[in-house]
Every structure is written in C-alpha cells, then in structure tokens.
Amino acid sequence: MTQSLGHLAATVSLDSNPFKAANGVLKAQIKSTANALRAQEAALKASGGSINNMRAAYATMSQQMRNYNAQLQNAKKAMDDTTRSKQSRAKAATQYNKTSAQIEQLRGRMQALNRDIELQSNKWTQLANRTQHFGNVATNVGSKISGVGRGMSTYLTAPIAAGLTYSAKKLIDFQDQMTKVKNVIRTSGESAAETNAAYKTMTADARKYSDEYGVSQQKIAAGYQDLVKRGYTSKAAIGVMRNELKASVATGDDFNDVIKVASQAMESFGLATDKAGRPIKNAAVMQRRSTKTLNELAYAADATSTDFQSLGVGMSYVGSTAHQAGFSLSETASAMGILSNNGLEADKAGTGLRKVINSLITPTANGQKALASINLSTKDFLTKSGKLKSMSSIFKTLNDHMKGLSGHQKNDIFHALFGTTGQQAGAILTENANRLRELNKEVQNSAKRDYIGD
C-alpha cells in the first residue's frame, strides 16, 4: 500500500511553485491535487493508517495549501486592480472568499492528520495492541475509557492523553447526534427496520464524508436531522447528502448554510412537495430536484458577489412570492445575484425584489400612471396565456421604453411603480436586464453540467 500511495503522490508535483503559475494552470493544479488527495486519503484509510502513508498525505495537503495561498494572492491582486471592470473585481472577491473558506477547511484536516501522526509516533500502536479495552472505545467509549486509563499513565504523554479525551468527546457528541437523527426518523413514520437501516448507512456515510470533504461527523449528522425534519425520507436524506457537501466545497460556503438555504429554497418553490402540498416521499425525485437546486444556487453564488447565506436570507423574503408569480428558482437566484453585484444584499434585496414582483402583478394607481407615461400597461408583461413573462423580458421592456429619459425622470417612474421599498431593486434589474437573461441561462445550464461536481 505504501507503494500505491507513493504512486498517487507522484501524480502531483510537490516541488512546483504555484505562485509562478498562470491562473488557468493553477486552477487545474488545484483540481488535480484535490483528486490525488482524495484517492490518497481513501488508500490511507484502507491501509490501516501507517505513519509513512499519513506523512505522504500530509505532504500533498501542504502542497494544496500552497496552491490555495497562491490563488488567494491572485484574487487579492485582482480585487485591488482598479483598471479591471466592476464585474471582474466582484468575481475576484467571490473567489477570494471561496478560497479563504477552502483554506480553513484544509487547515482543519491537516491539524487532525497531524494529531494522528503525533499519536502514531508516540507508541499509539503499541498501546492499542496492549490495551484490550481500547479496541471497543469507538462503540462504547463511556464504559471502556476507565480500562484504558491505567495504561495511559505508563505509555502516553499528557498531550496524547488530552488528544484521546478530545477524540472521545467528539465521538460521544457524534453518537448523541446520530441518536437524535434516529429518533427523528422513527417519529416521522418510518418503520423500525427502515430506521435502523438508515441509521447504519448514515453513520457510515458521515464518517466517510467527513474524511472526504473535511466536514465534521457531528455537522453531517446534524444535516441529516435537519433534512428529515424538513420532510425528507431517510433514503432521500442519504441520497442528497453527498451533493450538499459538494456544494459546500464548490462554493466555499458553510455546510450548515448550504443545507438550510437549499432546503428552504426547495420549500419556497414547491420542489419538496407534491401538488397536494404533501412532502415528496420518492427518494429519486428528491435527489434529482435537490441536485438541480444545489447546482443553481451554487453557480448563482459563485458567479456574483453574493453567497449561500445571503441568498438564503433574500430567498426567505421573496421565494414564495416569486414562485406564486411563476418565476423559476434559477431566475430568482440570478436576480438576487445581480442585485448583490450592485450593492443590494440579503434582506434588502429580498424585500426589494418582493415589492417589485407584487407591483408588477397589481400596480397602484400611481404605478399604472407611471407605466402609461411610457406607453405601457401590465398587459405588456403577460404572455398570451395570461402568465407573467420572464423577469428579464419584463425588465428589458421597461428599459426599452425608458430610453432617452433623464435620470430624474427614471427615478420618478421607478418610485411611482415600485414604491420606496422596491425602487432601487427595480432600477438595478431594469438597467441590467440583458445580464439577467445571460446569467439565468448560465444558472440553468449549471445543473446540466453538474457545476458542483466539476
């Protein structure tokens, strides 16, 4: 297995200087290093964790840390370059935030691996072999820890004993969280057999995914609990978890934010329920819809200056309204991203866009007069079947009919049509109607090419 890990490590040059690489080369290097590291860690787990294999994996992690720091430096340079366009600098800022989050995740994984290396270097294996009780710690740490205690005083230094205490506490916390998940599954109506099977699969997957994506087992367990509470069957929750984690890594956003925002967005746009409003029980359908939602939200967050958390806040205000008006999740997320690029973020973007949509459906008397002044009425925003046209079509129509007007005249129309709350959002989207259409196409295509899996 040592030879195998050496072969895996050889696929990544540990001597390359990422600070001299072009952006495209650096991006490819980061991706190839990540792939090699995943394979290396999987092989490490299968090998039983020899110290040489752990050191090889740590070396690869160190190279990836250098890659990320180089990417962070490039993004910072682009952010500070005043000769670049506003959109380019905003994209660089998004990359900076994403890379910063990836650095923190990798740092946590490196610290955990370093602890394992130190433990291995200090007769950890000898202790494991000589202390019969220790082998059962993973499944019954509370009752077995006393049997290890006497061995500790002879074979372990104080820092290593502290490390074991830390690990034991984490294990207990994870087991407690998984017990809560099990109870939630059972109370949701699943049988005892289904609950037990799900519990075993979730426990195994949480451990596997924690190693693969650098998210704690307890966080993943809490994610399962949140999904089941929101109406997911245990099979559906198991099916979507990997994509939730992939979205977190792809965007650099916190895993908890990804779970919460994606679930809320699906609820707001009717993607988690059937036509009768009942939670969808079909795991395949939920997995397909969840994957599409995660891809669209992740791309919208990465392509603009917003993030998952801000998208979630905004969607909590406008999601249901947009859905009822007939707008898609992709177009709503795109609009939120456009607003973010222009300084309108989170709650202000959500409340502003909600006011805009409501005003388009039922404008006030002043709003109708404002539309009439530019030779428009609400009928111009409807399709032949009486449904609202796409956001980009509506705002392009407004923009076309306001050409030649002064800034003051435009502001008066926006205020009369959308009120104080929606005025700024309406103005931004009207001025960026073409970009809204382009971005929405990109967001829609993200699911087809599995953006979070790139």
Side-chain angles (χ1 to χ4, degrees):
M1 183 57 68
T2 302
Q3 183 178 6
S4 176
L5 281 185
H7 172 72
L8 290 171
T11 63
V12 177
S13 175
L14 301 181
D15 297 322
S16 63
N17 187 351
F19 293 93
K20 293 183 179 181
N23 283 332
V25 174
L26 179 57
K27 186 175 181 180
Q29 188 170 321
I30 287 174
K31 187 172 183 178
S32 65
T33 304
N35 290 336
L37 185 56
R38 277 195 292 270
Q40 214 173 3
E41 289 177 321
L44 173 62
K45 187 175 181 181
S47 73
S50 75
I51 191 167
N52 289 335
N53 290 347
M54 287 192 285
R55 284 172 175 163
Y58 192 88
T60 306
M61 288 182 178
S62 298
Q63 176 59 35
Q64 188 71 312
M65 183 63 79
R66 294 180 70 212
N67 293 339
Y68 282 148
N69 280 318
Q71 190 173 58
L72 196 71
Q73 179 177 292
N74 291 346
K76 180 67 166 60
K77 184 177 179 181
M79 285 166 54
D80 296 338
D81 187 353
T82 56
T83 64
R84 288 175 174 262
S85 66
K86 183 177 180 180
Q87 183 177 347
S88 176
R89 294 175 69 188
K91 186 175 182 180
T94 300
Q95 182 63 64
Y96 184 90
N97 292 333
K98 176 181 177 180
T99 305
S100 296
Q102 289 172 324
I103 286 174
E104 289 306 309
Q105 285 185 338
L106 181 58
R107 182 177 288 118
R109 292 164 64 192
M110 291 178 73
Q111 288 172 347
L113 182 58
N114 188 52
R115 282 197 299 269
D116 289 341
I117 292 173
E118 290 178 357
L119 292 173
Q120 189 81 309
S121 300
N122 286 276
K123 297 186 179 181
W124 179 260
T125 305
Q126 293 180 28
L127 176 63
N129 291 335
R130 295 184 61 178
T131 309
Q132 294 180 356
H133 295 301
F134 181 75
N136 297 320
V137 168
T139 56
N140 197 9
V141 67
S143 62
K144 300 299 181 182
I145 195 70
S146 60
V148 182
R150 288 185 295 276
M152 274 189 205
S153 60
T154 304
Y155 295 101
L156 293 182
T157 62
I160 296 174
L164 179 57
T165 302
Y166 174 83
S167 298
K169 183 181 184 303
K170 287 292 183 183
L171 178 60
I172 292 172
D173 290 344
F174 172 60
Q175 289 175 333
D176 286 346
Q177 186 63 61
M178 283 306 303
T179 298
K180 293 177 183 177
V181 175
K182 188 176 183 179
N183 292 337
V184 170
I185 294 172
R186 189 72 177 95
T187 56
S188 71
E190 297 193 29
S191 69
E194 289 172 329
T195 300
N196 289 331
Y199 174 81
K200 290 179 181 179
T201 301
M202 288 177 175
T203 300
D205 283 355
R207 290 169 176 159
K208 177 177 67 178
Y209 293 156
S210 180
D211 292 338
E212 188 172 353
Y213 296 104
V215 177
S216 73
Q217 295 178 22
Q218 188 178 359
K219 266 193 172 184
I220 295 173
Y224 278 127
Q225 182 179 351
D226 188 33
L227 290 171
V228 176
K229 280 187 173 181
R230 291 179 181 277
Y232 284 64
T233 63
S234 60
K235 288 183 179 179
I238 290 168
V240 305
M241 183 53 70
R242 181 183 287 275
N243 283 331
E244 302 278 1
L245 288 158
K246 284 164 62 177
S248 175
V249 172
T251 62
D253 285 289
D254 182 76
F255 171 67
N256 289 341
D257 287 340
V258 171
I259 285 270
K260 180 180 178 181
V261 173
S263 298
Q264 288 178 342
M266 288 184 67
E267 291 166 5
S268 295
F269 284 86
L271 299 173
T273 54
D274 59 22
K275 293 181 179 180
R278 296 177 301 239
I280 293 175
K281 299 298 182 182
N282 188 306
V285 172
M286 285 299 289
Q287 186 171 355
R288 184 170 62 252
R289 292 185 178 186
S290 177
T291 300
K292 184 173 184 292
T293 298
L294 286 164
N295 272 292
E296 291 182 348
L297 291 175
Y299 188 89
D302 274 1
T304 63
S305 60
T306 190
D307 54 33
F308 251 86
Q309 184 180 38
S310 298
L311 267 178
V313 173
M315 285 290 188
S316 68
Y317 288 97
V318 72
S320 296
T321 299
H323 173 55
Q324 290 168 7
F327 296 125
S328 66
L329 170 62
S330 65
E331 192 160 29
T332 307
S334 298
M336 293 289 293
I338 295 291
L339 294 175
S340 175
N341 281 351
N342 288 272
L344 208 59
E345 191 71 83
D347 57 337
K348 291 183 179 178
T351 54
L353 184 55
R354 180 179 64 190
K355 175 60 176 174
V356 166
I357 293 172
N358 286 331
S359 297
L360 290 172
I361 297 172
T362 54
T364 63
N366 285 336
Q368 291 175 354
K369 289 179 181 178
L371 287 175
S373 71
I374 51 175
N375 299 316
L376 288 175
S377 72
T378 54
K379 291 182 180 180
D380 294 299
F381 303 145
L382 302 177
T383 64
K384 292 181 179 179
S385 61
K387 297 180 179 179
L388 278 175
K389 295 179 179 178
S390 67
M391 282 193 201
S392 56
S393 294
I394 291 172
F395 291 117
K396 184 179 185 304
T397 299
L398 281 172
N399 192 43
D400 289 343
H401 282 253
M402 295 175 74
K403 288 180 179 178
L405 298 181
S406 67
H408 180 72
Q409 289 173 316
K410 289 180 180 179
N411 285 337
D412 285 345
I413 291 174
F414 287 133
H415 184 266
L417 182 56
F418 301 124
T420 303
T421 304
Q423 178 178 355
Q424 188 177 3
I428 291 171
L429 294 173
T430 298
E431 292 171 5
N432 293 273
N434 288 334
R435 177 54 188 152
L436 176 59
R437 184 184 68 255
E438 293 168 357
L439 180 58
N440 183 46
K441 288 182 179 178
E442 295 169 12
V443 171
Q444 288 177 323
N445 287 333
S446 66
K448 296 177 182 177
R449 63 184 181 87
D450 191 24
Y451 173 72
I452 61 175
D454 284 351

